[in-house]
Amino acid sequence: MYAIRDPQLVEALNGFKQLVPEGIPLHDIPGARTFMEELFAMMSAAAPEIPGVASSDHYAPGPEGAPDVMVRIYQPEIRPETLPALPWLHGGGYVIGSVDSDDLKAKAMTLSFNCVVASVEYRLAPENPFPAAVEDAYAALKWLSANAGQFGVDPERIAIGGASAGGGLAAGLGLLARDRGEVDVAYQLLIYPMIDDHNVAQAEDGVPDTAVWSRANNLVGWRAYLGQEPGGPDVSPYAAAARAEDVSGLPPTYIMVGSPDLFLEENFAYAQRLLAAGVPTEFHVYPDGFHGFDDLAPASNVVQRCVADKAAAVSRALHENIS
């Protein structure tokens, strides 16, 4: 395993290991959901409140034949008449997580980015394999665009974003929105996105495992989401964005990942392809940033840099020329 040297991140990782000594138990998905919901609730209760944000739940019409999609809208309590918006997709390997688990994160982004955040309660695998989650995300994006005036959103300044599996969903959503041509996406915020189903080699000598999100969990997540073994010839790019043959015409993109993250190489390769296709792309690698480091070590120096970098990038992308 990669040797993490940053003492602040070492402390945070050790704290996580004390709470989850055997790692995230994804071999039992229902049990993992219960366990992680309890863990998120405990961490949220210990975190400081984030005042100044109003939230409300709404329902977007679901994909054909599917349930409506719950979207939690967050907006600053003190705000101008019009703001950009960020539909947000939570992480969890496509099989765990919820809008509730990202509640504090969504509030923080609302204030940090000075925007409306629309957190999407997409359906989880394996009960709902691809394309359920990305179609839910698209339904939420289309609904927000159509109802922009209701929430004081500039329809020309709607970005998409997510972390981990949510980042993978956001990347697939970007491709889907480009190809359907119904909604213009202004920006992509991809936080250590899970985008390549080929990345399922199991840990062994010469193939190191990674902290927090293991290779074994990655295989479980991809297998559940795809409804088949990952790495085959017929995986859609809307499921695994690294599969896209053509990435031109995508919106300006921000990708961040840590140096010991399992997704480093696939994120780097995707950033290179975006740049080669003429897509304005900003790519950040944070030393010692294990998967989820920004959530687990919020007071660390490296996370403070990470937060500032994201806020500056989003401000440049979404607030330029907004009065």
Side-chain angles (χ1 to χ4, degrees), residues 2-17 211-212 257-260 285-306:
Y2 182 99
I4 296 171
R5 297 177 177 83
D6 184 317
Q8 293 176 313
L9 296 186
V10 169
E11 180 182 3
L13 184 57
N14 287 340
F16 178 79
K17 289 179 178 178
V212 179
V257 67
S259 58
V285 180
Y286 294 94
D288 290 338
F290 55 84
H291 197 71
F293 74 104
D294 51 333
D295 291 329
L296 295 174
S300 66
N301 293 334
V302 66
V303 172
Q304 293 300 304
R305 294 198 304 273
C306 167

Side-chain angles (χ1 to χ4, degrees), residues 29 33 60-71 88-99 119-140 165-166 169 180 221 224-226:
I29 291 175
R33 288 174 183 164
E64 184 175 355
D68 290 347
V69 182
M70 195 276 274
V71 182
W88 177 257
L89 302 159
H90 67 79
Y94 299 108
V95 298
I96 58 177
S98 66
V99 164
S119 191
V120 181
E121 193 76 278
Y122 60 84
R123 287 170 290 168
L124 298 175
E127 298 89 342
N128 300 283
F130 173 81
V134 74
E135 289 291 357
D136 286 353
Y138 185 80
L169 279 175
R180 289 183 176 171
Y225 185 47
L226 298 177

Side-chain angles (χ1 to χ4, degrees), residues 173-193:
L173 177 61
L175 292 163
L176 193 60
R178 178 199 65 179
D179 295 345
R180 289 183 176 171
E182 296 178 308
V183 181
D184 290 329
V185 174
Y187 196 63
Q188 295 187 122
L189 183 68
L190 309 181
I191 310 302
Y192 34 77

